[in-house]
Amino acid sequence: MHWAKSGLTDVLSVYRVDRFSRNLRDTVTPPGYDKDKATEHLYVDEAEAAVVRLIFDLYTKDRLGSQSIAHELNERDYRTRKGGLWAFKRILTILENRVYVGEIHFRGVVAVDAHPGIIDPEQFEEAQRIMDERGDNHANSAAIGSDYIGSDYIATGRLPARSAAPRFWVPGPPARPRPTATTRATSA
């Protein structure tokens, strides 16, 4: 039984590597791209790519944060592919994704110029620099949320924006004993 699971894993792994080598993706197509049905190669969807370019421009040129960008997109009536509102986490995911410079990453293998990029590499690197500076980059936050006091500061070099102060239980004065039937009877 164990061999069968291992064999299936190997078959799936070979299948995925083969798909990767042909520039095919198992994941959801990122905003700004569509997938050719015959070859499954990514190509630029200009309507969505305009929104992706706007996100990068607002972040790198106007220096808006991810929450402000999400609010701005929603105010301008831009919607996600599924028709939903934009959220700051989705903005950060787009800003971190190297697919927008034409790269595909799969299990440590990087395919450069695998498809047309939407963002030029200089603007993408500027976005990464700003994210690092602001502490928005999730790749650099491995220790965030650790149980150890000060690990946020050690991991990032700066204090987190959220209150990460540990909460201690401090005992108060001892509780007064509740009256029972016997104490009520004796006090009366």
Side-chain angles (χ1 to χ4, degrees):
M1 184 71 167
H2 178 69
W3 181 86
K5 284 184 181 179
S6 175
L8 179 61
T9 303
D10 292 342
V11 168
L12 289 175
S13 183
V14 168
Y15 169 74
R16 287 190 177 127
V17 169
D18 180 53
R19 285 177 56 92
F20 174 73
S21 67
R22 292 183 290 141
N23 189 19
L24 304 177
R25 305 278 295 170
D26 286 334
T27 60
V28 175
T29 308
Y33 288 100
D34 209 347
K35 199 182 294 184
D36 185 301
K37 302 264 188 260
T39 64
E40 292 193 28
H41 288 213
L42 295 178
Y43 66 90
V44 177
D45 176 345
E46 285 302 328
E48 288 184 2
V51 177
V52 171
R53 288 185 192 104
L54 178 61
I55 290 169
F56 274 89
D57 285 346
L58 291 172
Y59 195 77
T60 60
K61 295 177 182 172
D62 296 345
R63 306 288 281 195
L64 293 181
S66 57
Q67 294 226 4
S68 297
I69 293 171
H71 180 74
E72 184 69 24
L73 292 176
N74 293 330
E75 285 292 313
R76 294 184 188 188
D77 287 329
Y78 289 112
R79 295 295 180 252
T80 64
R81 186 176 283 164
K82 293 183 178 180
L85 295 174
W86 287 91
F88 80 96
K89 287 187 177 187
R90 186 68 180 134
I91 302 298
L92 290 175
T93 300
I94 288 171
L95 291 169
E96 291 174 338
N97 196 343
R98 297 197 64 86
V99 75
Y100 296 110
V101 292
E103 295 179 8
I104 294 179
H105 293 247
F106 181 76
R107 293 191 180 177
V109 178
V110 179
V112 181
D113 295 325
H115 54 269
I118 294 174
I119 304 300
D120 62 73
E122 293 80 24
Q123 186 176 23
F124 184 84
E125 291 307 321
E126 175 66 11
Q128 301 317 296
R129 189 189 63 72
I130 294 169
M131 290 177 79
D132 288 342
E133 182 180 288
R134 292 180 177 174
D136 286 341
N137 196 338
H138 295 115
N140 296 336
S141 60
I144 302 299
S146 173
D147 291 338
Y148 296 101
I149 297 172
S151 63
D152 294 348
Y153 179 76
I154 293 168
T156 62
R158 60 187 162 276
L159 293 173
R162 61 178 165 69
S163 174
R167 297 191 178 158
F168 297 100
W169 177 76
V170 179
R176 292 192 320 224
R178 292 181 177 224
T180 62
T182 55
T183 57
R184 283 188 204 137
T186 56
S187 64

